[in-house]
Amino acid sequence: MVIHFFVHHNAGGKAIKDLNLKQKAELLRILAHPVRLAILEELSLGAKCVTDIRDLLKIPQSNVSQHLMALRREKVIDFHEDGNLRCYYITRPKLARGLLRFLSGEYPVVERSAKAVRQEGQRREQVPSENCGT
């Protein structure tokens, strides 16, 4: 797999590579599963034990455990044990809140004419931008 890194230029003109793109993409890949999103939604309401999560999602315990493990590997959730009970909680609440807020929004498609797109491109060519390196 080939990963292309974007190069940003700061105000001084020095190039800065965002080397965390691979890690960010991996986190998004882990989060981009319906069961994992459902788990995050449930845990955003408060800590829950595995059996509670299984009952709420109506899927086999083995599947719940696999999804919990994936979220735990990315340090999105963790658990505390109390005897035979494992109760999970969100370890990155800002991330979970932001993600769930993002997903609950509506983002309509905005169609634009070819002329409007060309005009915007021409304006950007005329005005140097720090982010584009021009």
Side-chain angles (χ1 to χ4, degrees):
M1 172 166 62
V2 176
I3 305 242
H4 297 279
F5 293 103
F6 296 96
V7 177
H8 304 283
H9 294 272
N10 63 15
K14 295 181 181 176
I16 302 170
K17 289 185 180 182
D18 190 346
L19 299 177
N20 292 324
L21 289 178
K22 187 175 180 182
Q23 291 170 326
K24 291 173 184 176
E26 179 62 16
L27 176 61
L28 288 173
R29 186 186 71 75
I30 294 298
L31 294 171
H33 191 286
V35 171
R36 294 180 194 140
L37 291 173
I39 289 170
L40 282 179
E41 282 184 344
E42 288 301 327
L43 292 179
S44 73
L45 302 173
K48 300 220 175 14
C49 295
V50 176
T51 53
D52 298 329
I53 296 169
R54 182 198 65 213
D55 293 345
L56 288 166
L57 300 180
K58 299 180 184 355
I59 61 174
Q61 170 114 12
S62 60
N63 287 9
V64 171
S65 294
Q66 289 173 353
H67 291 294
L68 291 170
M69 181 68 75
L71 291 168
R72 197 162 170 257
R73 257 193 325 268
E74 292 298 316
K75 296 180 175 48
V76 176
I77 64 170
D78 206 350
F79 67 89
H80 288 291
E81 283 185 295
D82 185 15
N84 290 335
L85 289 178
R86 270 193 182 183
C87 294
Y88 283 83
Y89 63 96
I90 294 175
T91 57
R92 294 161 95 179
K94 284 184 181 181
L95 171 71
R97 274 193 306 272
L99 175 66
L100 295 173
R101 188 175 23 242
F102 170 74
L103 293 175
S104 68
E106 290 193 27
Y107 305 94
V109 174
V110 178
E111 297 288 337
R112 294 172 30 201
S113 69
K115 180 180 177 183
V117 172
R118 276 194 303 277
Q119 287 175 338
E120 183 179 330
Q122 290 169 349
R123 279 195 305 271
R124 287 187 180 209
E125 289 174 5
Q126 295 170 358
V127 179
S129 171
E130 288 181 5
N131 294 333
C132 295
T134 57

